[in-house]
Every structure is written in C-alpha cells, then in structure tokens.
Amino acid sequence: MSVVKSIELVVPKEVYLAGSDIDGQLILTLHSTLVDPLVKVELIGRGYLEWVEETNVEKDYSRRGTCVNKADYVHKTKTFKIERNWLGPGVHTFDFHFVLPPRIPSTFISRVGRISYFLQALCATRELILGKLKKYIMYPLAVEVQKVLLYNCCFHSAPITVRLSLDKSIYAPGDDIGFTTEITNQTGKSIKKVVFALHSVVLYKAFNLRAEQRTLEQREEMVRLESHVASDPCEVTKIHSIISLPKVMPVSSSCRSDDIMDIGYELTATVHFPWCMSTVVAKIPIVIRNIAEPTR
C-alpha cells in the first residue's frame, strides 16, 4: 500500500485569464509517516502541433510525411518547505500562488494542434514518485467542436467542424461582443441557419434543513441572433457577428466567488442541418468585468 492515500488540487475555478493570479491549495493525505518528502506544485503551459502531408506531390515518388512542432509558454514551480523533514499520517494542506504571464495564447484544441495549461501536483521521495495529479486550467478565446453526421438514409457520413472565437478576453457592460464562427462542412449539403445565443448562468448555493449544501443552476437567454446561410453548399463558411451587452448587468463572479451564488455567461452557436434534423453546438464562456480588457 502506498504511503499517499490521496492528493488533491483545490483552486477557486478552472477558467483563468492571462495575467491573473492563481491561488490554491494542495491537499495531501497520508496513510503513514513519510520521511524526507518532496512536495511541489507546477504551473505548465505547452503547445503541440502534428499533421501529415504529401511531399513531392508533383513527382511520381510522392510520399506522406509528418510535420511537428512544440512550444513552452510557462513553467513555474512551488516547492514546499517541510518542517523537520517529515510528514505524519493524516491530512496536510499546502497553499500556493502563481501569476499567469500577461501575454500567452489561449487554450486551443483542433485536429492538428493544441495549447493547454495545467497545474501538476507531486509527492515523492528521492527514489520514488508516490502521488501525482494534473488539473487543467485557462480561459479559451476559441473553441472547436466536431461531429460526424449521417445522411442519405444513413448510407453516408461526413464530419462537421464548428469553430467559435472571440475578439478579446474580457468585456464590460454595454460592450459589443464580436465573434467569428467558422464552419467546415464536408457533407456536400447546405446549411439552413446558425443560431447564436448569449446565456446568463447563475449557480445558487444554499443549505437544507439537515445543513447539507445544495446548489441550483438557472440558465436564461439574454440575446438571440439568427443567421440564414446561402442555400448553395459551401465547404467553409465564415460568419462574423456582434452581440451588444446591456449597460447594466451583473459582472462575472471573481476568483473568490460569493458564498451564496456564482454568476457566469456563455455564448453558443448552433448550426442547423435540415436534411438530417441534427445540430452541432459550440459553446464558449464570456467573462464580464467592470473594466474591459483592450482588444488584442
């Protein structure tokens, strides 16, 4: 049986903005005494690309080749000082603080690449890793969703990719939210319409008569737009849209959320396909503060 019973990372939320503070706790539970331990938390941001392409396509001896690339955007480490150089059985809590760099790319994922940010907790001795945990974080400026649709009586199928991207990270009440929807349609059939909606998402927190915490989530549609796409089939469709925010509205909950409720916002793009009675939905969170971030 391992000395480490459990290892947990606790942060106020899983979505953060570039340049913001990350305050959290590493909670380590041990079965027995651990001598000379190494306990640390790392903040890591990495990007990776890979795709396959044909080389020498103009010649008879063309062949497939792999293209790869990678990048490191942030790597910070907090190593905790252990008093008396040992930890007894039970629960041990370690506080940590990181600051994300102000200029880093947003979280991104597609068929050829990804950019991800995560916290990694480690408990080890000089010879052995006893416990390890990874928790992903970061705020996406773009999301991509892919779905395979069936058509022609289910004899044919093709992927549909919807990419939804924002023009900046943070908005203020009264701002215009500019966003772009890019649809890659490989079915050879037309799209009927795309519906955009901005929702408010409120998570209420309360206790019942047995003092047990309960939560209630309420979603309300604030703004709705419809974009009717040309009837001719098109493999790639781009739609640029703007939604205006009310001048008076609650802002998004901060890192240290309220004890009774959390307030958030979400933008959705729903693509309708009349020939298969199906939809593809992309969702992205919207952060609203009293002071907006300059456009990137």
Side-chain angles (χ1 to χ4, degrees), residues 45-227:
R46 291 174 178 163
Y48 182 76
L49 301 177
E50 181 177 356
W51 72 87
V52 177
E53 67 177 12
E54 296 282 346
T55 59
N56 299 322
V57 292
E58 74 283 356
K59 300 178 182 179
D60 294 335
Y61 53 88
S62 65
R63 61 181 181 180
R64 296 171 69 84
T66 302
C67 300
V68 297
N69 199 3
K70 60 182 180 179
D72 291 324
Y73 300 108
V74 57
H75 195 155
K76 299 182 179 183
T77 303
K78 170 64 176 180
T79 302
F80 301 103
K81 184 178 180 181
I82 309 298
E83 293 185 11
R84 302 184 302 276
N85 211 29
W86 63 273
L87 294 171
V91 179
H92 303 271
T93 302
F94 304 90
D95 297 324
F96 62 85
H97 172 81
F98 292 112
V99 179
L100 283 166
R103 291 181 176 86
I104 49 178
S106 64
T107 298
F108 176 79
I109 184 168
S110 72
R111 286 170 291 177
V112 300
R114 64 181 181 272
I115 298 174
S116 60
Y117 298 85
F118 57 90
L119 294 166
Q120 183 168 270
L122 179 73
C123 177
T125 63
R126 296 182 183 274
E127 300 84 14
L128 184 65
I129 296 177
L130 302 174
K132 193 174 183 180
L133 178 68
K134 185 182 291 187
K135 188 179 186 71
Y136 285 89
I137 60 170
M138 196 51 186
Y139 172 74
L141 285 177
V143 294
E144 186 171 296
V145 177
Q146 186 178 83
K147 184 177 181 179
V148 176
L149 299 185
L150 302 176
Y151 58 100
N152 287 351
C153 299
C154 298
F155 289 111
H156 298 280
S157 64
I160 301 289
T161 303
V162 179
R163 188 173 190 270
L164 182 61
S165 58
L166 302 173
D167 60 354
K168 59 182 181 180
S169 297
I170 309 176
Y171 299 88
D175 276 357
D176 290 335
I177 299 177
F179 58 96
T180 301
T181 308
E182 183 175 323
I183 307 165
T184 303
N185 177 13
Q186 300 182 28
T187 64
K189 292 181 172 291
S190 61
I191 299 169
K192 182 179 180 181
K193 65 179 178 179
V194 184
V195 177
F196 306 103
L198 178 65
H199 294 87
S200 64
V201 185
V202 182
L203 183 68
Y204 299 96
K205 309 172 187 178
F207 295 88
N208 61 15
L209 295 177
R210 295 189 296 272
E212 299 169 332
Q213 188 174 46
R214 293 290 185 264
T215 59
L216 173 66
E217 182 178 286
Q218 287 189 341
R219 298 173 58 89
E220 292 188 7
E221 186 177 291
M222 301 173 58
V223 185
R224 183 183 181 91
L225 296 176
E226 287 193 11
S227 178

Side-chain angles (χ1 to χ4, degrees), residues 8 26-30 32 34 86-94:
E8 182 182 2
L26 165 61
I27 301 177
L28 179 66
T29 306
L30 302 178
S32 57
L34 180 59
W86 63 273
L87 294 171
V91 179
H92 303 271
T93 302
F94 304 90

Side-chain angles (χ1 to χ4, degrees), residues 245-281:
L245 292 172
K247 293 184 178 180
V248 178
M249 62 184 300
V251 298
S252 304
S253 294
S254 60
C255 295
R256 297 179 179 178
S257 59
D258 196 291
D259 289 336
I260 64 171
M261 68 179 69
D262 287 332
I263 299 175
Y265 298 90
E266 185 178 73
L267 177 67
T268 64
T270 304
V271 185
H272 293 261
F273 302 91
W275 35 268
C276 67
M277 300 299 293
S278 184
T279 60
V280 180
V281 182

